[in-house]
Amino acid sequence: LGTLYRRSLRVRRFGRVEDRQASVCWSMAFMKKWVFLALLALALAAGYSSVVVVDETRMTVITRFGNPTRNLTEPGLYFKAPLPVDRAMAVDKRLLVLDVPSREEPPREFLTLDKKNIEVSTYACWKVTDALQFMKTLTSRESAEAILRDAILSACGKTLASHPLSEMFSITEGQMKLGDIQRTIHEGCEAQLEKANAIDNVDVRLK
């Protein structure tokens, strides 16, 4: 009986060892599976973030660690280093319209040559000409429009102060020079935007 009892203990011990080994093997296989899936997900994410699609309405600037390095101007499929090394920044290349002042703001007041107080609203048509330079100097549409807005208001103040009211609103043929006034405002605005050579102020009109 003692021999049988000792053999029974040995069997139980070996069974426990085998169960533990099976459990460890199963855990290792489970961990390997999840590590493989995680690495596969990372590889897919890196591959997806390396693809850049440029459509016909936009230009795309590739930045490397925040510094603009490449300018993609033609529509198509491009490749870059995955995030976070390279990032793709889209820039609209269509003609944009800016209201000065904005539609939520009242018209601005200016003095004419004959000291008449007038309220004026304008709009400007502009576009980005160099996306790479745009991202280096202006960085966003908001900052570009802020610079353009200041230039328009300054040009309006100088130009309107050099013309009497009758040259802006008149029924007498040949007296009204609104076209010349708008042209002068546009030229004055262009002169102030020389440093921001990444954008083109196509036109400025009084409303």
Side-chain angles (χ1 to χ4, degrees):
L1 291 174
T3 303
L4 291 175
Y5 179 72
R6 285 194 294 273
R7 289 179 179 178
S8 176
L9 287 177
R10 290 175 184 174
V11 170
R12 290 179 184 177
R13 289 173 183 172
F14 287 138
R16 291 175 182 175
V17 171
E18 289 177 354
D19 290 342
R20 290 175 184 174
Q21 290 177 344
S23 177
V24 170
C25 291
W26 185 87
S27 298
M28 291 182 63
F30 183 78
M31 289 293 294
K32 288 180 180 180
K33 178 181 177 181
W34 280 106
V35 169
F36 172 77
L37 291 176
L39 292 175
L40 180 61
L42 288 174
L44 291 175
Y48 179 78
S49 67
S50 299
V51 178
V52 180
V53 179
V54 181
D55 66 40
E56 59 185 9
T57 65
R58 298 181 182 276
M59 297 176 282
T60 299
V61 174
I62 304 300
T63 63
R64 175 154 295 179
F65 299 115
N67 298 316
T69 57
R70 295 167 58 196
N71 185 15
L72 310 178
T73 59
E74 297 298 325
L77 188 66
Y78 299 87
F79 296 94
K80 64 176 183 61
L83 294 171
V85 179
D86 285 356
R87 294 181 182 273
M89 311 295 290
V91 179
D92 201 329
K93 65 179 180 182
R94 294 172 296 182
L95 194 65
L96 305 174
V97 178
L98 172 66
D99 290 303
V100 182
S102 66
R103 296 181 179 180
E104 293 76 21
E105 298 175 333
R108 295 298 177 93
E109 295 185 353
F110 297 96
L111 281 177
T112 62
L113 182 62
D114 49 355
K115 305 303 178 184
K116 300 292 179 62
N117 192 23
I118 61 172
E119 293 183 344
V120 173
S121 294
T122 69
Y123 70 91
C125 299
W126 69 283
K127 63 180 180 179
V128 178
T129 55
D130 187 338
L132 190 62
Q133 186 67 18
F134 178 84
M135 292 303 300
K136 288 181 178 179
T137 59
L138 300 173
T139 69
S140 69
R141 176 175 176 174
E142 289 75 16
S143 59
E145 289 186 340
I147 293 174
L148 182 57
R149 184 179 292 109
D150 291 341
I152 291 173
L153 292 175
S154 177
C156 282
K158 292 179 181 179
T159 304
L160 298 178
S162 61
H163 291 271
L165 184 62
S166 59
E167 292 184 354
M168 304 173 205
F169 306 97
S170 177
I171 60 173
T172 304
E173 185 178 356
Q175 186 174 6
M176 191 169 71
K177 299 181 179 179
L178 188 58
D180 294 336
I181 291 172
Q182 291 183 141
R183 192 177 304 109
T184 304
I185 292 174
H186 179 221
E187 292 172 354
C189 185
E190 283 283 295
Q192 296 183 58
L193 292 174
E194 287 183 355
K195 293 182 179 180
N197 55 5
I199 64 175
D200 179 22
N201 179 27
V202 178
D203 198 7
V204 178
R205 295 285 177 175
L206 300 178
K207 293 183 179 179

